[in-house]
Amino acid sequence: MAELLRGVADSPMWVPSTFALRPGGKDERAAFLDTWKTSPRSALWIVKPSSGSKGEGILITKSHRAAMEYVDSQPNPFPWVAQRYIQSPFLINGRKADIRSWVLLTHDLSVYVYRKGVLRTASTLYKPEEYSNDLGHLTNHCIQQNAPDYGRHEKGNEMWYEDFRWYLKEATNGKMDFDRDIVPQMDYITGTVLREALRKISRPPTPLRSFQLFGFDFILDDAFTVWLLEINGSPMIAEDLRTQMVTDLIDLSITKHFLANPPAVPAKNQFHCIYTHRY
């Protein structure tokens, strides 16, 4: 993702500085070092496998040396990333949260965003200086489900968009509105990323009718700027959304290709088109 967006002029405004690293070198470690040298010494970096999941293998550190030694100690040559850590997130009752958005790319290269979503919340209070405390810093379910307070604040440590709309408005005395101030940032980032990807792989239409569901992970900082953290190619779907989302996906991406006279996509379908590709 970081390499893809190098040429997008405003990407530093919504993608934290990110560098691709490989055990043993032949990567962006020189650029990482240059950026680290010009960053405040209090800056944190998160190091994670580019093909990982479930929060496994993640390191948060201030040290460039520790980051590189960690990457170089890995037994396989798969790529890793070092990314500037967002240290001032917008908190929910003192706890960290990130935003999971599901995005569908259809066979005709149109981009749809699911209008229902969740914020994945931490179980314990966020303390920037305690960055070795995964339960306060990493919101992955597979990490949080081991916490003593898992599910205490929100069922399954998930806050639905509907609840966050209310929380955001209350926390800011009505100054910030989720649909007016946050969603447009997410849609802009999503559209920009996939348009850039499609520009590089653009091809004429084919008879293939494939599709892909992505999970875009965002975080909101305390200045209400949305940052893109990562994109998942095989995202988990929140259990309470699974049936409806799969139904909506089938209606949009599959049914119409097997029926001579397919019905119109139901108006209640939660996938909203934000970009239509023009060949």
Side-chain angles (χ1 to χ4, degrees):
M1 179 185 75
E3 295 172 340
L4 172 70
L5 296 174
R6 291 278 188 260
V8 178
D10 67 346
S11 64
M13 305 298 293
W14 41 266
V15 177
S17 298
T18 306
F19 302 94
L21 305 173
R22 288 180 179 273
K26 295 184 179 180
D27 54 21
E28 297 181 328
R29 62 185 61 204
F32 174 34
L33 177 59
D34 290 342
T35 300
W36 180 83
K37 286 179 177 178
T38 59
S39 300
R41 286 297 173 258
S42 59
L44 290 172
W45 295 84
I46 183 168
V47 182
K48 51 190 175 181
S50 63
S51 59
S53 62
K54 302 180 181 180
E56 297 176 345
I58 291 176
L59 172 71
I60 300 175
T61 182
K62 293 180 181 179
S63 168
H64 171 269
R65 175 177 293 181
M68 294 313 310
E69 288 179 350
Y70 184 67
V71 171
D72 286 337
S73 70
Q74 302 305 314
N76 60 62
F78 299 136
W80 289 65
V81 296
Q83 185 178 77
R84 177 74 179 268
Y85 189 69
I86 303 299
Q87 291 175 247
S88 300
F90 178 76
L91 302 177
I92 297 177
N93 295 319
R95 294 173 294 115
K96 187 178 176 181
D98 66 10
I99 304 172
R100 164 56 61 87
S101 172
W102 289 278
V103 178
L104 176 65
L105 180 67
T106 55
H107 77 283
D108 59 357
L109 305 184
S110 294
V111 178
Y112 293 80
V113 174
Y114 208 66
R115 283 309 180 204
K116 293 184 178 182
V118 298
L119 282 79
R120 303 181 301 179
T121 61
S123 300
T124 62
L125 295 178
Y126 175 73
K127 298 178 181 179
E129 69 280 5
E130 296 181 3
Y131 52 86
S132 61
N133 176 15
D134 289 350
L135 297 179
H137 283 259
L138 304 179
T139 58
N140 308 69
H141 286 321
C142 292
I143 291 175
Q144 293 296 326
Q145 66 185 6
N146 298 315
D149 288 333
Y150 178 71
R152 174 185 172 190
H153 306 285
E154 298 89 22
K155 177 184 175 182
N157 279 42
E158 293 178 334
M159 174 178 277
W160 298 95
Y161 281 3
E162 293 83 355
D163 297 322
F164 185 63
R165 286 185 177 94
W166 174 86
Y167 180 85
L168 181 65
K169 187 167 291 188
E170 289 290 311
T172 62
N173 295 317
K175 294 179 181 178
M176 298 300 297
D177 181 87
F178 181 68
D179 296 293
R180 182 194 67 207
D181 301 308
I182 309 305
V183 171
Q185 293 186 66
M186 294 164 57
D187 285 351
Y188 171 78
I189 294 170
T190 300
T192 300
V193 169
L194 289 178
R195 280 197 302 272
E196 185 66 13
L198 295 175
R199 185 181 69 81
K200 294 189 176 182
I201 64 171
S202 186
R203 53 167 177 70
T206 75
L208 298 177
R209 295 295 181 261
S210 56
F211 60 89
Q212 176 75 47
L213 183 69
F214 297 97
F216 277 60
D217 289 341
F218 301 97
I219 194 166
L220 182 67
D221 69 18
D222 60 4
F224 306 105
T225 297
V226 173
W227 296 87
L228 175 63
L229 300 181
E230 62 184 36
I231 303 171
N232 299 277
S234 55
M236 288 185 62
I237 301 174
E239 184 176 354
D240 291 348
L241 278 182
R242 199 168 298 152
T243 298
Q244 181 182 0
M245 188 183 299
V246 170
T247 299
D248 289 348
L249 187 152
I250 290 172
D251 286 343
L252 191 61
S253 302
I254 298 177
T255 301
K256 62 183 179 181
H257 301 305
F258 289 90
L259 299 177
N261 297 297
V265 176
K268 65 180 181 179
N269 193 299
Q270 292 295 311
F271 278 109
H272 173 72
C273 185
I274 65 167
Y275 174 70
T276 301
H277 189 66
R278 291 180 174 80
Y279 291 95

